[in-house]
Amino acid sequence: MDGYTDAWERADAGERRKSGIFIESVVIREIRGFIEIMKIADIVGARPQFIKVAPVLRAIQRHNETHPENPIQEVLVHTGQHYDYEMSGVFFDDLGLKPPDYHLGVGSGTHGYQTGEMLKRIEEVLLAEKPDVVMVYGDTNSTLAGALAAAKLRIPVAHVEAGLRSFNKRMAEEINRVLTDHISDLLFCPTQTAVENLRREGITQGVYLVGDVMYDAALQYLALAEQKSRILERLGLKPKDYALATVHRAENADDPQRLRAIFAGLEAIAQTGLPVILPLHPRTCKQAESLGLSLNGVRVLEPVSYLDMLLLEKNARVILTDSGGVQKEAFFFRVPCVTLREETEWVETVETGWNVLVGCDRERILGAALAAQSGVESAWPYGDGKAGEKITRVLEGWEGE
């Protein structure tokens, strides 16, 4: 791959290479007869990040069970960006995650307030814990704040889901991605496209193509969802006989004109006789109430658990969303997707025909939903479901100076 190798191959090689403040080292590290324990601080705060961190934590647990001579200590820090039970606690329960070691309780607010409060409180944790590496996930304010706090303290930063680009800098998420990648020392990419995006920006050191941790999670938790979830029975839904929708991106939820158009599109779909199920994000609900918007014929739900969401996605006829994670999960389950944006960072879903971009136009939304069909079968871009293990193999071969 011209300078890039799979994560486990580089880790096994044990070669020493200086890069920033890293030294890639041999796997087993002993100091004065005692085993040195690597400490990782994981920074999360929003529901997609709880999903992304789960496969990594499970992989670290398995590593510690099989390699007690080379343990990795993990400190889980929850910023509180998502803070109520439906958006946070239920995900920890579903995913079997341990309670956070730190819950910073930042809550909602403007981007500046939220990021600033996170930066201040994360720094306090890092000064107390002194981790060897700080791991951040995805593209939220928690991602950027964690990366900045670590970089300012000269602690190596690892970015899971590095290299994604929508090329729309009006999106706060795009700013968070770009800045985080440019201050990260380890960049764990989900796809070859992400690797190429980084290369074009001059980032070639510390880049690993590991696959998508959300694919790990989908594989791991779908069986559990099918065993435990009763969401279809509870809602009286038949497989492949409803549309599933989500709307939460700031560019849509905070723009009255766009939100009205999206709601009008969902209403138009429901009027054709295809039931539309909409688990409504709190920020979108709050904005809709302030605008006096209604959703005639659309079945609006409180936010649902991860297991319920997996089952709703797998059995939908079509999914309409502005969420990057939901776009991917639709692709994982081979469900046609209509994306309520003009661009996407998950270009592979569009290139293979499983996803179509429609923006916020009522007629485009309606037409795409009714015409939705399967895409083409092609090379699988998101790895083999072992991204968490590959990330762990890389981490065990690194040591901060």
Side-chain angles (χ1 to χ4, degrees), residues 191-299:
T191 65
Q192 183 62 40
T193 301
V195 172
E196 292 303 316
N197 287 338
L198 293 175
R199 182 187 60 78
R200 284 192 291 269
E201 295 175 16
I203 302 174
T204 58
Q205 296 297 311
V207 176
Y208 293 84
L209 176 59
V210 296
D212 195 321
V213 289
M214 288 193 72
Y215 183 48
D216 291 25
L219 290 177
Q220 178 181 334
Y221 291 104
L222 179 59
L224 184 61
E226 291 177 329
Q227 175 187 343
K228 295 183 63 175
S229 175
R230 297 293 177 266
I231 187 73
L232 297 185
E233 294 93 327
R234 192 165 71 245
L235 299 178
L237 298 174
K238 296 179 181 179
K240 306 305 177 185
D241 195 33
Y242 62 90
L244 175 66
T246 73
V247 185
H248 82 279
R249 290 277 185 184
E251 63 182 291
N252 288 332
D254 296 346
D255 186 317
Q257 184 175 350
R258 294 180 67 90
L259 190 59
R260 283 193 180 94
I262 290 170
F263 277 21
L266 298 181
E267 286 182 334
I269 296 167
Q271 289 166 7
T272 69
L274 180 64
V276 178
I277 308 301
L278 175 62
L280 198 57
H281 192 284
R283 73 180 299 160
T284 313
C285 183
K286 182 179 180 181
Q287 178 73 340
E289 289 175 352
S290 70
L291 297 172
L293 297 180
S294 60
L295 277 162
N296 296 322
V298 175
R299 193 162 183 182

Side-chain angles (χ1 to χ4, degrees), residues 11-156:
D12 283 349
E15 65 186 40
R16 292 179 176 267
R17 175 177 59 81
K18 289 191 176 182
S19 174
I21 58 172
F22 273 112
I23 297 178
E24 191 166 8
S25 64
V26 295
V27 171
I28 299 176
R29 301 180 301 275
E30 294 187 6
I31 296 180
R32 297 188 183 130
F34 295 95
I35 296 174
E36 180 188 359
I37 300 175
M38 172 175 275
K39 182 186 285 189
I40 308 293
D42 285 296
I43 312 295
V44 297
R47 57 188 287 173
Q49 293 169 325
F50 309 147
I51 300 169
K52 292 165 189 172
V53 75
V56 176
L57 296 187
R58 287 181 64 87
I60 289 174
Q61 181 182 357
R62 287 193 295 269
H63 164 82
N64 289 342
E65 291 170 353
T66 57
H67 295 83
E69 80 286 355
N70 184 31
I72 297 174
Q73 180 183 355
E74 184 277 328
V75 177
L76 185 60
V77 182
H78 185 346
T79 66
Q81 182 172 340
H82 284 171
Y83 47 87
D84 58 17
Y85 181 75
E86 289 78 11
M87 297 296 290
S88 175
V90 68
F91 273 63
F92 278 79
D93 293 344
D94 276 354
L95 296 167
L97 294 177
K98 68 171 188 176
D101 297 290
Y102 293 86
H103 195 301
L104 305 185
V106 172
S108 59
T110 65
H111 286 293
Y113 167 81
Q114 195 177 63
T115 307
E117 282 297 307
M118 289 175 185
L119 182 59
K120 178 174 68 175
R121 300 181 197 188
I122 292 170
E123 182 181 67
E124 293 172 354
V125 172
L126 299 184
L127 287 170
E129 290 289 343
K130 298 179 175 59
D132 298 296
V133 179
V134 170
M135 295 263 286
V136 296
Y137 298 77
D139 56 17
T140 72
N141 289 340
S142 298
T143 311
L144 179 59
L148 281 173
K152 294 288 187 178
L153 294 173
R154 296 188 60 77
I155 300 171

